[in-house]
Amino acid sequence: MDFNEDQIQRYSRHILLQDVGVEGQEKISNGKVLIIGAGGLGAPVALYLAAAGVGTIGIIDGDVVDLSNLQRQVIHFTPDVNKSKVQSAKEKINLLNPDVNVITYYDLLTASNALEIIKDYDFIVDGTDNFPVKFLINDACVKAGKPFSHGGILRFDGQTITVLPGTACYRCVFHAPPPANAVPTCSQAGVLGAIAGMLGTIQAAEVLKYLTGVGDLLTNRLLTFNAKTMDFRTIKVKHNHKCQVCGDHPTITDLIDYEQATCEIKSNH
Amino acid sequence: MSTVKLDITKEHCPMTFVKTKIALSKLQSGDILEVLLVEGEPLQNVPKSSREQGYKVLEVSHVEGLVHKVLIEK
């Protein structure tokens, strides 16, 4: 593809990078990325991927913007309150970069729609706030052979891992969701707004590395950080041959909609 | 093997090297890019950046006034 003058200007700082260059920017521009959740994590992921010129960005979220979201979900602005998050996000992406084709799904990801939705994308980003859907995303991506980035934040802590076909999956490390009500979501326990940006931008960088083939992805390594101490750690993890979804003898063959904790009914990512 | 000409005398850093990279990306290995640029930052940076990113700078010569010519092999 030939970039026009505006695109050459817009993407000049990528083109200058030896590891990205014109070829890498073309790969980014041809990329199709699905972001699940237009909340704390999905907001920075969507903004940076839009800025980078990712050709197609899909966003799925069944919520509307709430005033309590604005402390960390930086893609939504005050006048967007009560608007669907996917519409709000789409408007900002279009303003930031008209090159991006935005596909919105005003819906929750479920066992019945997950495979159909992810099938058209090159890479999936988990920007969700609860365990049931995190396991669903993992299982769907593993089954479909789709690479994805897991991310999670709570209070001052964040964690992320990138999963490719064959590398340690989320379920290799965390076998099943904790019992309903055992774990608070960030909307109940609180979360320092800026760590959504810290974690989401790591996920966005992983997407761009995947699309361009640059560097070493965060595979078989779980990155964790605590914003109070600003300690970052990477913990080596291994593909588990006994994993219920990607092991030698998988026992999970159908996708599962785990029970949501009752207190999560009004979720605010 | 062919030679392609590029005039970046009106560009400023870093668009000088961006335009050079765009032009190089359209060439085949072994082709030559003949770049016209002005002295100062462009003359200092474009040959240096080209070498750093793995291209071969064959020649840097003065044309006239502030304008210089750089031959870069892909």
Side-chain angles (χ1 to χ4, degrees):
Chain A
M1 71 189 288
D2 272 341
F3 292 115
N4 63 34
E5 279 300 307
D6 283 353
Q7 289 169 322
I8 290 170
Q9 292 272 351
R10 182 185 284 271
Y11 305 123
S12 59
R13 270 42 172 193
H14 275 162
I15 291 167
L16 283 167
L17 284 169
Q18 183 170 11
D19 290 329
V20 179
V22 178
E23 296 81 3
Q25 186 59 45
E26 284 173 353
K27 289 176 184 166
I28 293 170
S29 299
N30 289 326
K32 297 171 124 189
V33 179
L34 177 70
I35 301 168
I36 305 176
L41 301 177
V45 172
L47 289 171
Y48 274 101
L49 295 188
V54 170
T56 301
I57 297 179
I59 311 174
I60 173 166
D61 197 305
D63 274 343
V64 297
V65 179
D66 187 90
L67 194 55
S68 67
N69 300 152
L70 304 186
Q71 161 257 18
R72 65 197 177 284
Q73 301 181 13
V74 294
I75 204 166
H76 309 303
F77 301 163
T78 304
D80 298 317
V81 169
N82 295 324
K83 188 185 285 180
S84 75
K85 287 188 178 178
V86 291
Q87 179 60 30
S88 164
K90 180 181 175 146
E91 288 169 11
K92 306 320 182 315
I93 292 171
N94 289 154
L95 286 168
L96 174 55
N97 189 347
D99 289 346
V100 179
N101 172 34
V102 185
I103 300 169
T104 59
Y105 309 84
Y106 184 35
D107 204 352
L108 297 171
L109 193 81
T110 65
S112 50
N113 68 12
L115 291 172
E116 177 62 24
I117 291 173
I118 68 174
K119 75 173 171 42
D120 294 328
Y121 294 91
D122 303 321
F123 195 99
I124 321 296
V125 179
D126 169 11
T128 65
D129 71 342
N130 66 83
F131 287 103
V133 74
K134 289 189 183 301
F135 279 87
L136 174 65
I137 292 166
N138 179 75
D139 297 355
C141 288
V142 168
K143 282 172 79 68
K146 296 286 185 183
F148 76 99
S149 166
H150 154 82
I153 50 169
L154 191 69
R155 302 191 182 99
F156 293 88
D157 296 293
Q159 69 172 34
T160 178
I161 185 171
T162 300
V163 179
L164 304 185
T167 71
C169 83
Y170 183 59
R171 208 183 266 278
C172 288
V173 185
F174 305 101
H175 307 298
N181 294 322
V183 179
T185 67
C186 60
S187 52
Q188 294 141 18
V191 59
L192 187 75
I195 73 163
M198 291 171 64
L199 203 282
T201 51
I202 292 171
Q203 292 185 286
E206 287 286 285
V207 175
L208 296 176
K209 284 165 58 189
Y210 176 80
L211 292 177
T212 55
V214 172
D216 300 316
L217 292 166
L218 197 56
T219 48
N220 299 314
R221 291 180 294 155
L222 180 73
L223 176 89
T224 69
F225 67 78
N226 176 279
K228 284 200 272 191
T229 58
M230 278 303 171
D231 283 330
F232 283 66
R233 291 203 303 159
T234 49
I235 301 155
K236 283 187 182 167
V237 293
K238 277 185 183 168
H239 169 66
N240 178 0
H241 289 282
K242 292 179 181 167
C243 177
Q244 293 169 282
V245 69
C246 74
D248 299 336
H249 305 287
T251 51
I252 297 171
T253 50
D254 293 317
L255 298 180
I256 307 163
D257 284 318
Y258 287 103
E259 283 289 307
Q260 295 266 355
T262 49
C263 56
E264 290 180 76
I265 287 169
K266 186 177 183 294
S267 70
N268 287 318
H269 294 268
Chain B
M1 219 181 72
S2 61
T3 300
V4 173
K5 295 184 180 189
L6 175 71
D7 184 346
I8 53 169
T9 53
K10 293 195 167 56
E11 300 287 346
H12 299 283
C13 185
M15 291 310 292
T16 44
F17 189 54
V18 171
K19 292 286 173 74
T20 304
K21 285 192 78 173
I22 299 263
L24 283 164
S25 77
K26 293 172 181 164
L27 301 186
Q28 304 293 320
S29 185
D31 287 349
I32 311 270
L33 185 68
E34 182 184 311
V35 186
L36 290 180
L37 43 67
V38 294
E39 58 187 50
E41 240 177 10
L43 184 59
Q44 278 168 26
N45 293 338
V46 170
K48 181 165 167 274
S49 300
S50 299
R51 280 189 207 101
E52 281 170 2
Q53 299 207 0
Y55 300 104
K56 197 169 172 187
V57 178
L58 302 175
E59 186 190 318
V60 181
S61 54
H62 181 239
V63 179
E64 61 172 359
L66 297 175
V67 180
H68 294 250
K69 182 173 81 179
V70 180
L71 296 182
I72 305 169
E73 183 185 317
K74 182 173 182 181

